[in-house]
Amino acid sequence: MKASLRIASLAFWAASISPFSSATTIPLQQAQPALNCNRTCLETHLSTYLSALIAHDPTLLPTTPSVKYVENDQILPFTPSTGIWSLASTLGTYRHIFSDPSTGNVAAFTTILENGIGAIYIVRLKVDADGKLSEIETQITRDPTGAARYEKLGKPEDVWVQAVPIEERISRELLISQTNKYYSGLYEVGRWAADDECKDGRSVWAFK
């Protein structure tokens, strides 16, 4: 059960909760989710985004006038000369996508080449009710060795895409509460406690 919770919780986190833990994080409640934008629709937005990134042309994307762009915890102007948008040269082959149609969020762990050097790239997009990007959050980890390991892996491990039996599935509310404990734990590490079963929302679990 503990392993299942950890996997499902990480998947939900990547799809609908910001991967950053700073004051620059964009609240998810700012815009309504896209209407009639299912998993395929969200993943098309993601593919379009990555293609625009390599083309160094954010104008290829359907964005709201007030789109908020975050790169490595910094809110930045969304322009061709901003950060990774001027440096990304090639997309890698590894791509692990998380889609959450109920909130209009799609995220991915992937790899890129930045001026010819491998890096790990994480992105979360929020698609609003009009089908436009209202939030873009990214993190670039400039670790060529780590990026090479993802490339060697080729695709996400099978455990990430295996269906969890209905009787073992955990509620969305519990996934959210358990995921949020990671962030609160960053500030209150001493209050964390291991719980091997994690049977209810009051339990606190720690990585081992």
Side-chain angles (χ1 to χ4, degrees):
M1 178 66 73
K2 182 177 179 181
S4 298
L5 174 59
R6 184 176 301 168
I7 292 168
S9 181
L10 285 171
F12 180 83
W13 160 77
S16 61
I17 296 179
S18 166
F20 315 115
S21 56
S22 77
T24 59
T25 297
I26 299 170
L28 291 175
Q29 297 82 4
Q30 290 182 349
Q32 294 298 314
L35 299 176
N36 302 316
C37 192
N38 59 17
R39 188 177 302 274
T40 299
C41 169
L42 290 172
E43 294 181 7
T44 297
H45 276 286
L46 177 66
S47 180
T48 300
Y49 173 87
L50 292 173
S51 295
L53 174 67
I54 297 305
H56 312 292
D57 189 358
T59 65
L60 297 175
L61 300 173
T63 59
T64 63
S66 59
V67 61
K68 293 186 178 180
Y69 177 73
V70 174
E71 184 175 305
N72 283 17
D73 289 345
Q74 301 297 314
I75 297 178
L76 301 173
F78 192 47
T79 68
S81 61
T82 295
I84 194 66
W85 279 84
S86 65
L87 300 173
S89 53
T90 308
L91 294 176
T93 57
Y94 182 88
R95 191 173 300 178
H96 192 172
I97 301 173
F98 305 85
S99 303
D100 187 7
S102 67
T103 63
N105 281 274
V106 60
F109 286 78
T110 186
T111 53
I112 60 172
L113 290 181
E114 183 183 43
N115 285 335
I117 300 174
I120 300 168
Y121 187 66
I122 303 173
V123 57
R124 179 187 69 86
L125 307 176
K126 176 65 177 286
V127 182
D128 74 2
D130 295 321
K132 295 182 178 181
L133 302 184
S134 60
E135 301 173 3
I136 301 170
E137 289 194 88
T138 66
Q139 181 171 311
I140 305 99
T141 301
R142 294 175 171 89
D143 176 7
T145 301
R149 287 174 178 168
Y150 275 115
E151 286 295 282
K152 183 177 180 180
L153 190 61
K155 64 182 181 65
E157 295 174 302
D158 291 340
V159 68
W160 286 96
V161 295
Q162 292 171 352
V164 177
I166 293 177
E167 64 274 12
E168 295 182 17
R169 293 179 187 177
I170 301 166
S171 71
R172 187 181 188 90
E173 292 73 21
L174 180 54
L175 291 178
I176 293 172
S177 68
Q178 293 299 314
T179 301
N180 284 340
K181 288 176 183 178
Y182 171 80
Y183 297 103
S184 61
L186 291 175
Y187 301 98
E188 302 180 58
V189 176
R191 298 180 62 183
W192 278 35
D195 183 280
D196 289 334
E197 297 299 327
C198 221
K199 294 179 179 178
D200 57 56
R202 295 171 297 176
S203 301
V204 178
W205 50 271
F207 292 104
K208 291 184 178 180

